[in-house]
Amino acid sequence: STQGKTTHKRRPDKMMSRGEAKSNRARRALKKFEPKIFENPKSCLFLKGNKTSDLVNHVMTDLYQLKRPFATRFWKNNDFYPFEQTKNLEFLGFKNDTSLFCFGNHQKKRPHNMTFGRFFDWQMLDMLELGVTHYEPMQSTKGIGFQLGNKPMMCFLGSHFATNVELQRVQNIFLDFFRGKEARWVNLQGLDRIIAITAQPPQGKKKDISVNEATGFKLQFRQYAVVYKKSTKGGALPAVELKLVGPSIDWVVRRTRMADTDNFRRAVYIGKSKLRVNKLGKNLSKDDMGDLRGQIHVGETDMAQLALRKFKAHKVAKKRARDEERAARAAEEEQNLDVDVEEDKPAPKKRRKAQAEEEANPYLDRQAIKPSLMVKKDSSERSLFAKANRKKITPGIM
């Protein structure tokens, strides 16, 4: 019984969103999915329809090997068709972060069918439906030097790639499919394979070929391994030979659904401000004379802790300020000493002692021997001072 239970279905807009980041680690992860001027290598999603043939499975296996490591493959069957429903493909591409897809199925009406396509902003951009008419599997590449996963060279043969509008878009799809990583520098030993795609017009319809349609064209896919041998003419450059290693596939274009001009321009548009990339490096530039200039950003400087060179002029100024401070302090002490003696009353203990001394010696002049006004003298002066006081306070002496 399902009474009292509620089922929560996610909204379509929530399914195609990645949510908000709550930590720095999540923000860094989400930043990888943001649009970039220089894109990451495009990954491809390989999946099967409700029914497939062995021929389509073998072709998809070879293409998956050529596309690795930027490829994801699903083994379960999917009960939908790309030209009839695109939401499922868009959702799978969004969840697996793949901007390309290859869909294989088999029907009585369209046998050995394969669909290639790509997304923009997780919406369907282009789709190309091909039918496999001939296939030879990929041979062993041991001893040739050809390594899977290397960036291939691409060659498109046929004048129709330059005149037919849809074939130009087909060429662009295959370039996206086998592009791989962007390479700034190329090693000669890394150029070990070449993929050649030849376009042949439909037979018997040469007069009725449309410039804007690619339906009926035959595409021949061939892969060759580049073999370097010692040059017979001498020199640093080696002699090059091409060896067919497969896979060799013949396709027939059945259906196409290309993006309109506005959507395609929006997909390839790059703002002029974003193209102004400093090739020299961050905070580096060149002036009119060609000299390299760099800009350094530092924090706020604390001048009090700044270590400067000690010049003689600085020392004289410091000494003058120190002398003025001492003179001011001495003048202040003199003012304090000139205060009336009555205001400077001694402490109770000292007061009782002074009274006792006055009673014992009534002729004692306390102003003359005030301790605060006594000046430090040497031993000879002390003896003379003591004798003078003794004569002064001795009774009966004139």
Side-chain angles (χ1 to χ4, degrees):
S1 174
T2 58
Q3 187 177 3
K5 296 182 180 179
T6 57
T7 57
H8 299 278
K9 293 184 178 180
R10 297 186 64 183
R11 292 166 51 188
D13 55 346
K14 295 291 183 180
M15 295 173 65
M16 299 290 286
S17 62
R18 301 193 185 275
E20 297 182 358
K22 297 182 180 180
S23 62
N24 292 332
R25 183 178 180 183
R27 291 188 190 94
R28 289 193 297 267
L30 288 179
K31 197 171 183 179
K32 298 179 182 179
F33 298 103
E34 294 179 356
K36 301 179 179 63
I37 301 175
F38 303 100
E39 296 179 345
N40 299 331
K42 294 186 177 182
S43 299
C44 182
L45 178 65
F46 291 86
L47 65 165
K48 300 186 295 184
N50 193 15
K51 183 180 178 182
T52 57
S53 61
D54 292 339
L55 181 62
V56 172
N57 291 335
H58 291 319
V59 173
M60 291 181 65
T61 300
D62 284 351
L63 292 178
Y64 173 74
Q65 295 293 333
L66 296 178
K67 184 62 179 171
R68 289 175 62 189
F70 307 109
T72 304
R73 188 170 186 181
F74 287 174
W75 297 95
K76 291 185 179 181
N77 296 340
N78 299 275
D79 192 11
F80 61 85
Y81 301 98
F83 278 83
E84 297 178 2
Q85 187 179 4
T86 61
K87 290 184 178 180
N88 294 333
L89 280 172
E90 292 170 357
F91 174 75
L92 292 174
F94 173 78
K95 286 300 180 183
N96 295 276
D97 192 27
T98 55
S99 55
L100 304 169
F101 72 90
C102 178
F103 186 89
N105 64 326
H106 178 71
Q107 296 176 327
K108 184 177 180 180
K109 186 178 180 180
R110 295 183 179 87
H112 313 302
N113 200 49
M114 298 185 67
T115 305
F116 295 86
R118 53 185 174 178
F119 306 108
F120 171 70
D121 197 16
W122 308 118
Q123 303 294 326
M124 189 65 67
L125 184 67
D126 296 326
M127 278 195 296
L128 172 67
E129 189 178 65
L130 306 174
V132 182
T133 59
H134 176 73
Y135 166 70
E136 292 181 5
M138 187 165 49
Q139 303 173 7
S140 176
T141 59
K142 291 183 179 180
I144 302 176
F146 163 54
Q147 296 181 1
L148 293 176
N150 283 6
K151 190 179 178 69
M153 296 178 283
M154 299 292 296
C155 179
F156 293 90
L157 305 174
S159 60
H160 297 283
F161 280 116
T163 58
N164 193 296
V165 177
E166 278 200 349
L167 281 180
Q168 291 177 359
R169 195 69 63 83
V170 171
Q171 176 184 357
N172 191 263
I173 292 174
F174 280 112
L175 283 174
D176 269 357
F177 196 89
F178 294 103
R179 183 185 302 274
K181 289 184 177 181
E182 293 290 337
R184 295 185 179 181
W185 300 278
V186 179
N187 187 4
L188 186 62
Q189 298 298 326
L191 303 175
D192 52 8
R193 61 180 174 131
I194 182 172
I195 294 176
I197 299 177
T198 307
Q200 294 182 355
Q203 296 180 359
K205 297 183 180 181
K206 294 183 179 180
K207 296 182 181 180
D208 301 333
I209 297 175
S210 176
V211 181
N212 298 324
E213 293 183 2
T215 305
F217 272 82
K218 187 177 181 181
L219 303 177
Q220 295 179 344
F221 180 93
R222 302 290 184 269
Q223 182 176 225
Y224 300 90
V226 180
V227 182
Y228 296 98
K229 294 186 177 181
K230 188 175 180 180
S231 177
T232 56
K233 299 180 181 180
L237 296 177
V240 178
E241 292 184 1
L242 299 180
K243 183 177 180 180
L244 183 64
V245 294
S248 299
I249 310 169
D250 289 350
W251 284 307
V252 175
V253 180
R254 288 177 176 166
R255 286 187 293 180
T256 58
R257 184 184 292 176
M258 302 299 177
D260 55 2
T261 307
D262 295 337
N263 287 335
F264 189 75
R265 285 179 179 176
R266 190 168 61 93
V268 300
Y269 173 76
I270 301 176
K272 293 183 179 179
S273 59
K274 295 182 179 180
L275 287 175
R276 296 172 184 172
V277 181
N278 192 356
K279 297 181 180 179
L280 298 175
K282 190 175 181 181
N283 298 329
L284 293 177
S285 61
K286 284 189 176 181
D287 56 9
D288 297 336
M289 301 300 295
D291 297 331
L292 188 64
R293 299 287 182 180
Q295 186 178 8
I296 301 175
H297 298 274
V298 296
E300 186 177 356
T301 305
D302 188 3
M303 303 302 294
Q305 298 181 358
L306 189 63
L308 297 175
R309 184 180 174 186
K310 297 180 180 179
F311 295 97
K312 189 174 181 180
H314 296 165
K315 294 181 180 179
V316 172
K318 286 184 178 180
K319 186 177 180 181
R320 189 180 299 124
R322 199 162 46 243
D323 294 343
E324 292 177 357
E325 185 179 356
R326 289 178 180 175
R329 195 183 300 116
E332 186 178 356
E333 290 179 357
E334 289 179 0
Q335 291 178 0
N336 295 335
L337 292 176
D338 292 339
V339 180
D340 193 9
V341 181
E342 294 181 358
E343 297 179 359
D344 188 12
K345 295 181 180 181
K349 279 188 178 181
K350 293 184 178 180
R351 197 182 301 134
R352 288 194 296 269
K353 188 176 180 182
Q355 291 176 359
E357 289 180 356
E358 288 178 359
E359 292 176 358
N361 299 319
Y363 300 101
L364 182 63
D365 188 5
R366 302 219 40 96
Q367 293 291 337
I369 57 172
K370 189 175 180 180
S372 58
L373 297 178
M374 290 177 64
V375 183
K376 186 177 180 181
K377 300 178 178 57
D378 54 5
S379 58
S380 59
E381 291 178 351
R382 286 176 192 167
S383 59
L384 294 174
F385 185 73
K387 290 179 180 179
N389 285 338
R390 206 179 300 122
K391 290 180 180 180
K392 185 176 180 181
I393 63 177
T394 303
I397 298 178
M398 299 303 292

